[in-house]
Amino acid sequence: MKNMKKKALQLDAYALLFIVLFIVALLTYIIPAGSFQREMTESGTSIVIPESYERIEQHPVKFFDIFLSIQEGLIGASGMIFLVLIIGGTFHVIEKTGAIHSLIMKTIEKTKNKEWLLITIVAGLLSVLGGFGIVNISVIAFVPIGIRLAQGMKMDAIVGVAIMYLGAYSGFAIGFMDPIRTGFAQSIAQLPKFSGIEERLVLYGIIVLVTILYIIWYADRVKKNPEVSILRSNPFPKLEDSVQDESVNITLTHKLVILILALGIGLYIYGVFKYQWDTNEMAAMFLLIAIGAGIVARMGSNELVKTFVEGCKKIFYGAAIIGLARAIVIVMSDGQILDTIVHGIYTGIQFFPSTLGAIAMLIVNGLFNFIVSSGTAHAAIIMPIMSPLSDLMGISRQVAVQAYTMGDGFTNVINPLSGTLMAILAISGIPLGKWLRFALPLVLIWFVIGILFMIYAVATGWA
């Protein structure tokens, strides 16, 4: 039995998602098909109309269609897949210039024996950007830097990913000024945009503090005893070289390469905030960064292309997983069972008393994120149902909005259907099972805090 459990935990991510794909296809034969009517918002988003659910003819997914969905998933997720490949290629070019190595070693030299301070500053800054909704998908770009930073501090890749990813998503989960998730959900709930921000800022501070302390706790244990690392004997799966204790100088070339990288990422973040840039613009920006870094480092065109392609090859295995995760959503959509699941949620919790109802909303939104991992799609489907449901339960619609943002945000970091998570694991080389072993305790802590906040919000009549 122990060996069976160990094999299950070590199951390859492709195998795991393939099993889930078949289970979901089977469910299209069991769960009744159904549909809500939908209407278009001024922004062009389709949202469901409450009380419009009706049963429709069953749409079971046939055996051959399961395999068609994989191809469709790869096509549907192609933007994210190619973004991951391009980022991998770009950072391989940058690493070859020595700029990242020099920057990391100089940073560690300046903060020697104060790793906790470095972790706090970096994770805290990213949490602010996450809270504004500026950094979500774009956190992928920071992950390679975080991994090199963790390597320089003699920790492991999990620490590097956690500093950047969990740092950003601890703020993103609350979304105190996120126009895409919080703002959109409040508009559906007919609430003033960013109302209730004072309470959200307090909640944000608690979540970020707990997250940073959790990262520091794990990082300190690995620093003192590498044997306790979840990654064990292979602390940096995607890094072939090691960092030696050495005094380094940042040359003019290194400074120019770092400047190009910083300007590129900064310009992309500005574009997200100003022009709603997405994955395509991010991919284009990283292509420009790779070319700029190659020119500054005086790489020949052949060397630049060869180095870039080598970087793409290293992470192709993980990048393609994103398409398989998308296939699961396609099967569920083709089987017309998604709206039935939403209707079942509504029916199941509508008679809950107010406090239990608020807690149920949080948990339901967390679970629903495993079905619909896109934040805006999640809001468009669930918020038109949750808003009138909160009225029936006698709780504020503000509570319903926060249940959505926390439920969606908390489970993002453990959701294998999240393109962002799978992209980050692809870049870092961290197996899904080992990442879950690290992140699950923190997510449970987040949910405990979220539940306590729901109880407080209902008790105080937060509106």
Side-chain angles (χ1 to χ4, degrees), residues 374-440:
S374 165
T376 50
H378 184 152
I381 294 169
I382 208 81
M383 280 310 302
I385 303 297
M386 290 295 176
S387 297
L389 181 58
S390 64
D391 297 338
L392 287 175
M393 292 179 178
I395 59 180
S396 165
R397 291 191 173 194
Q398 199 74 261
V399 174
V401 169
Q402 197 57 37
Y404 148 71
T405 56
M406 288 193 298
D408 170 73
F410 289 169
T411 52
N412 263 325
V413 301
I414 56 170
N415 183 5
L417 300 188
S418 165
T420 303
L421 172 61
M422 298 312 290
I424 287 170
L425 296 184
I427 290 170
S428 64
I430 300 171
L432 177 61
K434 293 191 175 182
W435 172 255
L436 293 179
R437 183 179 164 190
F438 168 77
L440 266 173

Side-chain angles (χ1 to χ4, degrees), residues 27 29 77 88 114 131 140 165 189 212 220 232 261 265 302 348 360 380 416 422:
L27 290 176
Y29 287 84
K114 293 181 181 178
I140 297 169
Y165 183 38
I212 291 174
D220 186 60
R232 294 290 190 272
L261 176 61
I265 293 176
N302 289 347
M422 298 312 290

Side-chain angles (χ1 to χ4, degrees), residues 39-221:
E39 62 182 1
M40 299 296 291
T41 65
E42 292 181 1
S43 62
T45 304
S46 174
I47 62 173
V48 303
I49 301 174
E51 308 294 342
S52 66
Y53 174 82
E54 59 182 3
R55 294 277 292 273
I56 60 175
E57 182 182 350
Q58 202 71 14
H59 287 74
V61 175
K62 297 178 176 62
F63 180 75
F64 187 66
D65 291 338
I66 296 174
F67 297 90
L68 282 177
S69 72
I70 296 174
Q71 166 74 353
E72 292 172 5
L74 288 166
I75 294 171
S78 59
M80 181 66 77
I81 292 170
F82 282 109
L83 171 64
V84 172
L85 293 174
I86 288 169
I87 288 177
T90 298
F91 270 96
H92 196 56
V93 171
I94 292 173
E95 285 180 355
K96 193 160 186 177
T97 68
I100 293 291
H101 172 78
S102 298
L103 175 64
I104 295 300
M105 294 311 299
K106 185 61 69 174
T107 302
I108 292 171
E109 184 182 310
K110 294 289 185 182
T111 57
K112 198 168 184 64
N113 299 320
K114 293 181 181 178
E115 290 89 354
W116 61 271
L117 178 61
L118 185 58
I119 291 172
T120 300
I121 292 172
V122 175
L125 176 60
L126 283 168
S127 75
V128 173
L129 297 177
F132 278 94
I134 298 172
V135 171
N136 43 74
I137 294 174
S138 54
V139 74
I140 297 169
F142 295 90
V143 167
I145 299 173
I147 292 171
R148 283 294 185 184
L149 183 64
Q151 187 186 37
M153 293 189 293
K154 301 189 185 313
M155 295 170 185
D156 65 12
I158 287 177
V159 175
V161 170
I163 293 171
M164 302 299 182
Y165 183 38
L166 295 183
Y169 270 65
S170 61
F172 180 73
I174 307 305
F176 55 85
M177 285 285 284
D178 182 353
I180 305 299
R181 292 167 65 253
T182 304
F184 179 50
Q186 286 182 323
S187 68
I188 295 174
Q190 298 178 334
L191 293 169
K193 201 168 188 178
F194 303 130
S195 56
I197 190 172
E198 295 86 358
E199 289 83 354
R200 283 191 177 88
L201 284 172
V202 173
L203 179 61
Y204 155 80
I206 295 170
I207 292 291
V208 172
L209 176 62
V210 167
T211 303
I212 291 174
L213 290 175
Y214 184 80
I215 297 170
I216 291 173
W217 167 78
Y218 176 80
D220 186 60
R221 291 179 70 227

Side-chain angles (χ1 to χ4, degrees), residues 160-327:
V161 170
I163 293 171
M164 302 299 182
Y165 183 38
L166 295 183
Y169 270 65
S170 61
F172 180 73
I174 307 305
F176 55 85
M177 285 285 284
D178 182 353
I180 305 299
R181 292 167 65 253
T182 304
F184 179 50
Q186 286 182 323
S187 68
I188 295 174
Q190 298 178 334
L191 293 169
K193 201 168 188 178
F194 303 130
S195 56
I197 190 172
E198 295 86 358
E199 289 83 354
R200 283 191 177 88
L201 284 172
V202 173
L203 179 61
Y204 155 80
I206 295 170
I207 292 291
V208 172
L209 176 62
V210 167
T211 303
I212 291 174
L213 290 175
Y214 184 80
I215 297 170
I216 291 173
W217 167 78
Y218 176 80
D220 186 60
R221 291 179 70 227
V222 174
K223 177 84 171 179
K224 291 177 179 175
N225 180 14
E227 293 298 317
V228 305
S229 168
I230 293 173
L231 297 176
R232 294 290 190 272
S233 59
N234 190 16
F236 297 94
K238 287 291 182 178
L239 299 182
E240 298 172 357
D241 57 334
S242 60
V243 174
Q244 305 296 326
D245 290 325
E246 55 181 315
S247 180
V248 297
N249 292 318
I250 301 180
T251 66
L252 178 60
T253 298
H254 293 157
K255 290 177 181 177
L256 290 174
V257 170
I258 293 166
L259 179 63
I260 290 170
L261 176 61
L263 286 175
I265 293 176
L267 183 57
Y268 172 75
I269 292 174
Y270 174 79
V272 170
F273 199 71
K274 185 75 174 177
Y275 304 110
Q276 288 75 53
W277 281 5
D278 207 337
T279 52
N280 288 346
E281 290 83 3
M282 189 176 187
M285 185 59 66
F286 270 88
L287 284 172
L288 287 171
I289 291 171
I291 294 169
I295 292 172
V296 167
R298 296 188 179 89
M299 286 186 184
S301 56
N302 289 347
E303 183 185 3
L304 174 59
V305 171
K306 183 180 178 182
T307 304
F308 185 88
V309 172
E310 284 175 355
C312 294
K313 285 179 181 178
K314 287 183 177 182
I315 60 171
F316 177 78
Y317 169 89
I321 290 179
I322 300 168
L324 186 56
R326 178 66 66 90

